[in-house]
Amino acid sequence: MSRGLPLDAFTIASEVRSHERSARSVVEEVIESIERGDSEIRSFVSLMAESALKRAEVVDEIVANGCDPGRLAGVPVALKDNLCTKGAATTCSSRILEGWIPPYDATVVEKLRDAGAIVVGKTNMDEFAMGSSTETSFYGPTRNPHDTTKVPGGSSGGSAAAVAAGFVPLALGSDTGGSIRQPAALCGVVGMKPTYGRVSRYGLIAFASSLDQIGPFARSVAEAAALYEVISGHDERDSTSLLKSEQETTEEALTRGVAGLRVGVVTELLDAMAPQVVSRVREAADALGLSGADVEEVSIPELRYALSAYYLIAPAEASSNLARYDGVRYGLRVDADDVASMNAASRTAGFGPEVKRRIMLGTYALSAGYYDAYYGQAQKVRTLLIAAFDKVYERFDVLVGATSPETAFELGAKSSDPIAMYLSDVCTIPSNLAGHPAISVPFGSGEGGLPVGVQVLAPALHENEMFTVGAVIERAASDARNVGEAAT
Amino acid sequence: MKLSRSEVVHVANLARLDLSEVEVELFTEQLGLILEHATDIGALDLDGVEPTARPVPQENVMRQDEVRPGLDRRDVLSSAPAVESNRFLVPRIIGEEP
Amino acid sequence: MSVDRNSFETVIGLEVHCELLTATKLFCGCPNVFGEEPNTNICPVCLGLPGSLPVLNSQAVELAMRIGLALNCEIRPSSFHRKNYFYPDQAKDYQISQYDEPINSNGFLELPDGSRVGVTRAHLEEDTGKTTHVGGGGRVHSAERSLVDYNRSGVPLVEIVSEPDIRSGAQARAYVSELRSILVATRASDGKMEEGSMRVDANVSVRPLGATEFGTRCEVKNLNSLRSLTRAIDYEAARQIELINNGEEVQQETRHWDEDSGSTSSMRSKEEAYDYRYFPEPDLVRLAPDDAWIASVRESLGPLPARRRAKLVSLLGGSPSGPEMDQVLATVELDLDFLVIEAAKAGAPAALALARASNEVASNLDALRSLDPAAFSTTVQMESRGDLSSTQAKAVIAELMSTGRTDPVAVARDKGFEAMSGELIAQEVAKAVSEAPQEWKRYLSGEEKLSQFFIGKVMKATRGKANGKDVVAELRRLSASEGE
């Protein structure tokens, strides 16, 4: 299935650092493979060939001078197009930001550069990250590399597809209600949402500020963990950035094993899911048990309220975050006689239907007379949910469940039914509301041979337990695949 | 929870969106359905539960009162839709600042 | 039409916005300065660029607490909300402000006349950019287009909201003056209404005397000076009383004060009121200053204007005249009382030091930094001893301020301000008398006020070197000797 460079990030970095391969040749190859192979999948909305080559030369020069360009030396990385890149168009896949060139870099972009990584392009997404299929993009949909009649999931579908297709070993996405994990599951790659505050949001174009987190995509848990380590850490430009630092490296976590870990299989994250998805999650849980974890099923009834709370909180914050696209300072302007009409004409022409729907919903939820019933109530549900998680985490170290209720669906299947589309995030939303970390790890396949993702949830700041469990699930999936191949 | 057409029109005004007749119909129905879905949490008795506005426990995050370099005016104005005398140009304003 | 104004009481609450004297803006590191080239102090944050995030300026919090403590407020854990509305000078189309949890609440301000006005709250918020209207005489309604400069966007403001405790335009004026003195004294704001760094909105209602319920109020905006504040309130109260006397009802609305026409006009009614959709700002965390910080701010607050005025009054001997009390108010408001205190300490008469500070120094505040307080008190002493005439003393003070020199004796010598001997004075007076025999006759016949005429003549002849008191003494001596 790989249409690009089959190398993993560690191999590239070590070869670049040891002169075996130049960063320039890596970038050239990657750009070439995207130009050749992405026309069908359309995972990228723009390539940054020139700046990437320039950056690669800098990395090669650092190596030539006997210095170390960083742990991701020469590793090509794709960025979701809601991460600001200085001098390179950043659109959120929206017409309203068409042609806008940010005058500054997001903090994660600086961190990638400091680690020697090379940003090669920007990936497609649902417009302003609102969607679960990457179909609401102004630039048209991205297709699933496993089956191009299917969606890649969303909203970070472009990043998931770019990694799944092998164009890049690593990519960044953003996850507000599952926008990293769900497309990772549907595309058969690893996708992770860190604890809220672990990764600076400075330069991430906001959808719902109290839920948004940037996180990694990779083809392995180890690579995702490495990328997470590179992008995380305190940032004084983000007031919600956490001060606490990690006690141990993810590398130790990846090899520790799950013996003695208490794993809860969450009933609500299995209920009503596609049968093959349920089977895969149970197999993954069994594999954890065989590896020494104490596995037990647990119900968290409060999770049932998460979807409703999310679809009030996220649109409410979005309605405010997206007010600034008014045609005054940047982005699309549609002229009109007076400023209010100009604002409305620009917004009406610049936003697609899903974005308008959510702005409408959020504006309504915050408006006079409805605040307490909707937004206020949803925030109390958030408190309830956090308390429920806290209680469950007294008994368990991590929780597992499905990432997505089903495997990748047909393009257009849910486009006219918002609620059906919103239900795609039912398993991922609780972690966003609580601010907790969660990861989706591929585990076998479901209907039509399409990938299934198993989700591992952990309490705030416990990314390492999550990585430990994710690594064991990954190994079990690989063992199962090998057994399956041996049998045929 | 049913939404009225006039509420949808009012909300569109607040949000500075021009909706066509068809969109007003569609949103009246769809927003109604979404809010219907949210009646499950509306039914919960959460009196006395504190709302959670953000999932970060920290307080008092502040910076020192020190000047940092800003943006170059040319860069900023070059991406503006309309400019006059180094200012952002907008059509006439109806109504005072709130 | 007969309007019975005396049977009504006016009820006023004031909302005062003041810009804080920080080095940078409230949520970003752009300079907080006035009068720069348009759009030169901007960054992703105050321009509301996609992806930018606010970070709170600790000094703005400190200054807000100073204001709160000076207004006897409680400082409480607080938070920020977003106030959502579209307006081109609002870079994000929402304003970050404090809503249900302001940093300062429940305070009061005591006015010089002893009355007390409650302070409901004093909260932090960000300022907007500045809009210039082109065409149509520069008015928003008639302009063809508008231009926006975001240099002011994000400048820190404290909004001070009073209780509806004020009962007249004059009291409102006293409240704003006192507030301004406090802002200047605490170095929280420069309090300049003309430059817009202090902006006042008034909520005005009227009710029959003795009534306990409030009448319907109107909010009056665009009050750019103390004069417009009192005029607008008086106008608005009269307008409302007239409506009621005509059997009409006051509509709750926002009204615009027009300084030229001296009247208010409706901006928007309550029905058109905005729906701001306030909600907690997710990009900022809670602000809960700890006791140690509050205590250190309290300690750093110098004596407040009321105490400082009392100090001057005591230096004046306890019962100042009306004009002296005005000088006391002005001196403290302009932060010049230290000059008077220092001069008095050095032995100069407080009343003379007060007069020089509140007139000569106050009229040239820009040069205050060059004035050496010791030199000021020496000059006042020289004047009080008669070494310098009042004209000479004023000239010496002006020289000290414009050059930064610290040696008034040398300044006086350089200017040729040697005290004139009695002999010279006698010569000059005799000359003046001989030149104006008519006036001298009238003086002799008891027209005392003609002494001013002779002082003028002598001053002119000596180019201000003579001391007025000495001239009067010589005139008296001369008239007494002629009467013999």
Side-chain angles (χ1 to χ4, degrees), chain A residues 196 210 236 241 308 327-329 333 338-339 343-344 347-348 357 360 364 370 374 377 379-380 382-383, chain B residues 1 3 7-8 11 15-16 18 30 35 37 40-41 44 49-50 52-53 55-56 58 68 80-81 89 92:
Chain A
Y196 184 86
S210 79
E236 58 178 22
S241 165
S308 291
V328 175
R329 292 159 297 276
R333 170 184 291 192
D338 65 89
V339 78
N343 294 153
R347 293 164 63 76
T348 301
R357 185 156 39 240
M360 291 289 294
Y364 180 79
Y370 298 107
Y374 291 118
Q377 187 77 354
Q379 285 198 324
K380 289 181 172 182
R382 210 169 172 179
T383 308
Chain B
M1 176 69 204
L3 229 69
E7 280 177 309
V8 169
V11 169
R16 293 270 158 102
D18 298 328
Q30 287 180 338
L35 293 170
H37 192 273
D40 59 345
I41 66 167
L44 293 173
V49 175
E50 281 296 311
T52 297
V56 209
Q58 56 201 30
R68 293 284 164 89
L89 169 68
R92 71 199 172 92

